[in-house]
Amino acid sequence: MKMRQLRALCGFILLTLAVLANARPKAGSDQKCKSGPVDLVFLIDSSRSVRPHEFETMRKFMIDILNTLDIGPDTTRVGVVQYSSQVRSEFSLKAHRNLESMVKGINQIIPLAQGTMTGLAIRYVMNEAFTAEAGDRPKVPNVAVIVTDGRPQDRVAEVAAEAREKGIEIYAVGVARADMASLRAMASPPFEDHVFLVESFDLIHQFGLQFQDKLCGVDLCLESDHGCEHICESSPGSYHCLCLPGYTLNDDGKTCTAIDLCAEGKHDCEQICVSAPGVFTCDCNKGYTLNEDKKTCSTIDLCAEGKHDCEQICVSAPGVFTCDCNQGYTLNEDKKTCTPIDLCAEGKHDCEQICVSAPGVFTCDCNKGFKLNKDKKTCTNMDLCNTVEHGCEHQCVSTPGSYYCVCPEGQLLQEDGKSCGTCKSANIDLVLLIDGSKSVRPQNFELVKKFVNQVVDSLDVSAHGTRVGLVQYSSRVRTEFSLNMYHTADEIKAAVMKVDYMEKGTMTGLALKHMLENSFSEAEGARPASRNIPRVGLVFTDGRSQDDITEFAKKAKEAGITMYAVGVGKAVEDELREIASEPVEKHFYYTTDFSAISTIAENLKLNVCPEESQGEIEVKDPCACESLVEFQQATMSSLEQLTQKLAGMTARLEQLENQLLSKK
C-alpha cells in the first residue's frame, strides 16, 4: 500500500521541486497546491565546493518550494539535513508545525563547508530522519530530495538501493559539477522523473517549470509560446518575463543581459575584478596575493618568506626573486651560489712580493726577512746582522728575516751557535718512520718498537744533544711524538712502548712527505739549519709502498737529510735504495724476518762525520776520532823506537859478556 501511495505522489513531488518564488503565481494561503499527506526530507550538499552565494540560492530554492506546499502536522511535514564530510540534522519532521518557523529554521542553517560524503548522508536519512522518533508517520509516503554539486567521495549505489527498498522515494538534483552516473545510482526509477541536472545554482528552478500546470492548473507560461529567455512568471490569464539573479531584462521584455559590475566600475577591487552575472570577485596580479578583505592585494615576498635558495642575498620582486652576492663575491652560473673574487689569483694587484687575498680586496705582505714599506706594496730587506746584537764570535751572515754565525776555516761552530772552536760534540736530530701496516701484525710490531729502543740506546739523548722523534704510518700518517717532546732516553723508550698499532695500508710516500714538511720543522723541535745539526731520517718498512716515494725521497735528501732505509720480509729493495742516501750500500739494511731486526739495530750506526761515513751509527766525536788515531800512531812510533833501543842494548850486553869471558 505504501509503495502505491509513493507512486501516486511521484507527480506531486516533481511538481513541488519545480516551484520557484520568481516562477510561480503569487498566491495566498488559500491558493496552496493541495495533495495528500507526505513526509519530505531535503538532503542538501554543503561541501566546500558550494560557494556562499550558491548556498543562498539553494536556501531560497527550499523556501520557494515550501511556499507552494500545504505545511502542517496533518498535511506535509518537512525535515532538512545538510552534509559534507559529516552529517547534521537541521530540523526533523516534527520540529516545525507551520511555514513561518520552518522558514526561520532554514535561514539559520550554517554550511559545513567540508567534503562530499553523500552515501553517509543517505544512510543517516534512512536510519535517523525517517523514524517515528524524528516525526515520521506510518502509512505516509517518505520522499527524499538530494541536492548536490559534486561527485560523492564515498559509495552511494548500495545504500541508495537499501533506502529505496525501505520505501523512500529519492529525487536526485545535480548542479554544475554533479556526476550524472552518481545521480542515477541514487534516484528512484523512472530516471526521467527523478533525475535532474542543471548548469548552475542560478538555474536550479528551471527543471520544475514543465510540471506547474499539473500542480496548480493551467499555466500560460507552459501553454503559450512566451519567448522568455530565463523565467516566465504566470499570473491569472497572463504572464511576464523575469531574469535570473545577476541579469537585467532587456527592452524587448523577454531577453536578459548579464549585469557586469566590473565593466560598470561598481566594484572596489584593488587590481583585478572578476565578473559573474550581477556579482564580482576580486583577484590579484601575478606576484601578489589577495588580502583577507578580499579586495586589496599584498606583494608576495619570497625572500622574506624564506622561499628561495640564494646563498647570500635574495632580491625580491612581486612573486619572484633573484640572487645576488655580497661585496667581493661574484654570482656563479647557477645564479644562486657565490664565489669570492680573488684579485691575487687574477693578478689584479701591485704587491712586490706577497699578495694576501680577501673577497674582492687584497693586502700586500713581504717574505721573511723583508719589511713592508710605507706604500704598503714594496718591501725592503732587513739586515739583522747590522740591526741586532747577534753575538757571533767570528762572522754574522744575514738571511731574510734571520741570521746565522760562521767560523773561520778549520774551526767549528759550537753548541751556542755563536762561538767557534776546533772541536764539536756530535749531536743529531733523528726522526724514525715505522711501518704500522696490516701486514706487520701485532706481535711483529712489538719487535719493531724494541728495534727503535735499541737505536735510542746507542744515542746521547738530551735537550741540547741528540733529539728523537717518532712517526707511524699505514694508510695515514700519525706523529707519535715530535723531536722536542722528550729529552731523555728513558722518556723516549717509555713513549715508544705505549705506541698503538695502526694497521691498514702502506703509504710510505705520504710518510716521507710528512717527515719533510712537518717532523723536521722548527715547530716540532728540529733545530735551525744554520746551527748545522745533522738531520737523520730512518724508514722501517715490511712491504711495497702503495703510493709513489720518488718525489719526497729525493726532496728529503736534497733538503740535507741523511736517509737510512731498513726493510724486512716483503720490503722492495729498489724502494729501499731509492730512499737511502749515498753511498746506498752503507745506508740501507734488509732481513727476511722480524726476528733478525735486533741484529740490524746492533750493526746500524749513524756516523755524523760525513767525510768519514762508513754507514755505521756509532755517534762519535770527530775530535776524539782524530785524537785516537794520533795516539795510536804516536804509540806505535814510540814502541818502534823502544824496540830499536832494546835491540841495541841487547847487542851491547852480548859484547860486554864476550869481553868478560875472553879476559878469564
Side-chain angles (χ1 to χ4, degrees), residues 274-290:
V274 180
S275 182
V279 295
F280 68 89
T281 56
C282 298
D283 201 355
C284 298
N285 296 323
K286 186 176 181 181
Y288 294 82
T289 183
L290 194 65

Side-chain angles (χ1 to χ4, degrees), residues 119-167:
L120 180 67
I122 295 173
R123 185 169 297 281
Y124 179 90
V125 169
M126 178 176 63
N127 295 334
E128 303 292 337
F130 288 117
T131 61
E133 293 79 7
D136 180 50
R137 293 168 291 181
K139 299 182 181 181
V140 173
N142 293 157
V143 178
V145 178
I146 303 172
V147 183
T148 181
D149 80 325
R151 182 188 298 273
Q153 294 176 339
D154 58 354
R155 300 174 66 88
V156 297
E158 294 83 353
V159 67
E162 186 178 350
R164 293 193 299 268
E165 288 176 1
K166 288 188 175 183

Side-chain angles (χ1 to χ4, degrees), residues 378-443:
T378 59
C379 301
T380 299
N381 189 10
M382 298 170 62
D383 187 354
L384 294 181
C385 287
N386 294 326
T387 58
V388 299
E389 291 292 334
H390 52 77
C392 294
E393 178 181 343
H394 178 65
Q395 182 181 351
C396 176
V397 178
S398 288
T399 60
S402 184
Y403 68 91
Y404 63 92
C405 301
V406 295
C407 295
E409 187 175 355
Q411 295 190 23
L412 298 173
L413 193 66
Q414 299 302 298
E415 286 295 324
D416 60 6
K418 297 180 179 182
S419 58
C420 300
T422 58
C423 181
K424 175 185 174 184
S425 60
N427 301 317
I428 63 172
D429 286 341
L430 171 64
V431 175
L432 297 106
L433 305 180
I434 60 172
D435 182 353
S437 61
K438 186 176 182 180
S439 60
V440 173
R441 299 185 181 178
Q443 64 272 23

Side-chain angles (χ1 to χ4, degrees), residues 25-26 31 218 220 233-239:
K26 304 297 182 182
Q31 293 178 310
V218 176
L220 291 179
E233 183 175 83
S234 294
S235 58
S238 183
Y239 71 90

